[in-house]
Amino acid sequence: MHDHVCNPQTLEEAWRRVSVKGGAAGVDRQTVAEIKASGVDGFLAELRHELESGQYLANVIRRVYIPKGKDGKRPLGIPTLKDRVAQMAVKLIIEPLFEADFLDCSLGFRPKRDNKEAAQLVHKYTNTHEWVVDVDLKSYFDTIDHDALLALVKRRVGDKRTLWLIKQWLRAGILEDGVVTTPARGTPQGGVLSPLLSNIYLNEVDKLWHGNPSVKLVRFADDMVLLCKSEAQARWVLRTLRKQLESLKLTLNEEKTKIRHVRESFDFVGFTYREAFSRKHGRWVRIKYPRAKSMQKIRDNIKSTVKAIPTGTGLSEVITVVNRKLRGWAEYFKIGNSYEASLEITEFACKQLRIFWRRHKNRKDTQCGRIWPNNFFYGRGLVYVPYLLKN
């Protein structure tokens, strides 16, 4: 297996995938652009030599924090480019082995699976399973037990050199505020291999519930819901799940883990699900629409993007940038009841463009709606989001 990891074709494909994503530099501050300038072939040859000779050692991981919710922060680990390429090479070789074991209820960070499929599956199940166990794991990526994870990896990976590489990445030091610490548990979010390792770990949960005729599990990475047919069943599911997670040395976030009836609403992969009365069908139906956090995220994204554009930029260029944001939002949320939300996003985009154009024209008055109404921006190419939902 290690020979396949070191194969030049594997390393070239690993570099292609890593370089396309770009990303921030690790502790060595080396960027994709710098490697391209100095020579990719030399970079890969050096990495191959280190891997084949056993001289490869994982670098320290740079820890940064990204916003999470209104006031929270999520830790993100940034390995060096060399480590990211090496991790990708290992992933390319071992992922197919574990894909053979993974179940259909797991939809996060897997080939040909995505969050839209997870959203549709949950929507489908809510029509027959009205009670929801809304699960939240406490600091999942930071609490994965290394020994337990490596034992699960060994079921499919017998090559000692490949296992040694994975162990190195799990136990690599974390640099934060100038201090390096060695983690006893966890796999840093941001590592190329982390999503696959997390799926290997939680596959043990999947196996307990997959195929159960009355309980439906849908999992996207560490986000999961279990849909049940009665409240009593939901309470039994939660008790059983809690014991299973304890055996994996994982902990439920008790404040956020709830049992709900679908009429109370719950959130999953960017959507809010709830029960609503349909005048068209004359009965109660299940609907899904963009959750409040998803709406705030796209608003913040549009606002910060437009604000960062130099005021001397032409309006058509700004609209092109905004349109990319709007199309991306619509492409995902068109599978839900998103018409009302699309009107709000369209109006917000026009408002931000109006603010930009006022600064561009150096006008002091803030009431520019009459001078530049929404149609002014539509006429210059701004997409009307409700139309995107139909395509």
Side-chain angles (χ1 to χ4, degrees):
M1 182 176 290
H2 190 70
D3 291 338
H4 290 296
V5 171
C6 299
N7 187 292
Q9 291 181 334
T10 303
L11 293 175
E12 286 170 9
E13 177 61 18
W15 163 257
R16 187 190 68 79
R17 297 193 185 193
V18 169
S19 62
V20 164
K21 290 187 176 181
V27 291
D28 61 358
R29 299 295 176 179
Q30 194 172 39
T31 65
V32 170
E34 289 173 351
I35 291 175
K36 287 181 177 179
S38 60
V40 174
D41 291 343
F43 170 80
L44 294 179
E46 180 183 344
L47 174 58
R48 183 186 179 194
H49 172 73
E50 290 181 7
L51 290 169
E52 287 181 331
S53 64
Q55 296 176 31
Y56 173 87
L57 291 174
N59 281 287
V60 171
I61 296 169
R62 184 166 70 92
R63 170 160 286 177
V64 298
Y65 289 87
I66 58 175
K68 180 183 179 181
K70 233 177 187 180
D71 304 310
K73 291 183 178 180
R74 183 194 301 274
L76 189 67
I78 304 177
T80 63
L81 270 170
K82 180 180 287 187
D83 288 340
R84 298 212 292 269
V85 173
Q87 287 186 35
M88 180 62 77
V90 169
K91 182 186 176 187
L92 288 170
I93 300 304
I94 72 172
E95 186 174 52
L97 305 177
F98 290 100
E99 275 293 320
D101 289 334
F102 291 161
L103 302 168
D104 290 340
C105 58
S106 169
L107 296 151
F109 305 109
R110 294 183 59 193
K112 300 179 182 179
R113 310 262 179 167
D114 59 24
N115 38 12
K116 286 201 289 187
E117 186 179 353
Q120 294 285 55
L121 200 56
V122 169
H123 194 178
K124 172 186 173 182
Y125 288 150
T126 55
N127 289 309
T128 53
H129 296 67
E130 300 181 344
W131 289 89
V132 181
V133 182
D134 189 359
V135 178
D136 188 89
L137 297 179
K138 190 173 183 180
S139 303
Y140 169 63
F141 282 89
D142 294 330
T143 56
I144 295 175
D145 184 84
H146 288 173
D147 292 335
L149 174 58
L150 287 169
L152 295 173
V153 172
K154 285 178 183 178
R155 292 180 183 178
R156 282 287 186 176
V157 178
D159 186 275
K160 292 183 179 179
R161 291 175 295 177
T162 303
L163 288 169
W164 171 239
L165 290 175
I166 295 171
K167 186 181 292 187
Q168 280 196 63
W169 294 322
L170 286 175
R171 296 177 180 171
I174 306 291
L175 176 65
E176 184 176 0
D177 297 329
V179 179
V180 176
T181 56
T182 302
R185 298 182 300 168
T187 172
Q189 293 185 68
V192 173
L193 205 58
S194 292
L196 174 60
L197 295 177
S198 73
N199 274 334
I200 292 170
Y201 206 66
L202 286 180
N203 188 51
E204 298 305 296
V205 174
D206 299 344
K207 288 190 291 188
L208 177 64
W209 303 104
H210 184 73
N212 189 310
S214 59
V215 179
K216 302 296 183 182
L217 166 66
V218 181
R219 182 173 66 79
F220 190 88
D222 59 323
D223 293 328
M224 67 181 88
V225 291
L226 293 103
L227 299 105
C228 310
K229 293 194 172 183
S230 68
E231 183 178 9
Q233 185 183 52
R235 295 191 182 283
W236 171 79
V237 165
L238 183 55
R239 288 196 300 270
T240 306
L241 179 65
R242 184 179 282 110
K243 291 178 182 178
Q244 185 185 27
L245 292 173
E246 287 174 358
S247 70
L248 291 170
K249 300 181 181 179
L250 298 174
T251 307
L252 283 173
N253 185 329
E254 299 292 349
E255 292 182 4
K256 294 184 178 180
T257 299
K258 303 288 183 183
I259 293 175
R260 314 171 191 268
H261 191 276
V262 69
R263 74 171 69 96
E264 300 175 60
S265 83
F266 65 97
D267 297 329
F268 186 65
V269 292
F271 285 96
T272 293
Y273 300 76
R274 69 175 176 85
E275 195 174 61
F277 187 78
S278 170
R279 295 178 185 174
K280 179 180 179 181
H281 297 97
R283 59 183 173 83
W284 291 94
V285 296
R286 311 297 190 256
I287 65 170
K288 63 180 181 296
Y289 53 90
R291 64 183 294 198
K293 285 185 177 180
S294 300
M295 293 296 289
Q296 189 59 50
K297 183 177 180 180
I298 184 62
R299 284 194 295 265
D300 290 344
N301 198 337
I302 293 172
K303 184 175 181 178
S304 60
T305 298
V306 173
K307 193 174 182 180
I309 297 174
T311 55
T313 307
L315 184 58
S316 61
E317 294 180 50
V318 182
I319 287 176
T320 298
V321 174
V322 172
N323 280 347
R324 283 200 291 267
K325 306 289 182 184
L326 297 177
R327 286 195 175 95
W329 183 91
E331 179 61 30
Y332 181 65
F333 287 105
K334 69 181 182 182
I335 64 173
N337 303 78
S338 304
Y339 178 76
E340 294 295 330
S342 71
L343 291 175
E344 181 184 336
I345 294 303
T346 298
E347 185 65 35
F348 184 83
C350 289
K351 178 182 176 182
Q352 294 306 309
L353 288 171
R354 197 171 292 119
I355 291 171
F356 171 84
W357 202 233
R358 176 171 59 84
R359 289 190 286 118
H360 178 88
K361 294 292 187 180
N362 199 25
R363 296 182 68 106
K364 302 299 181 184
D365 54 317
T366 57
Q367 302 300 321
C368 296
R370 294 180 182 179
I371 305 172
W372 303 307
N374 292 359
N375 286 337
F376 173 81
F377 301 107
Y378 300 143
R380 280 151 182 80
L382 182 69
V383 295
Y384 185 59
V385 184
Y387 287 165
L388 296 177
L389 300 180
K390 300 177 182 179
N391 299 323

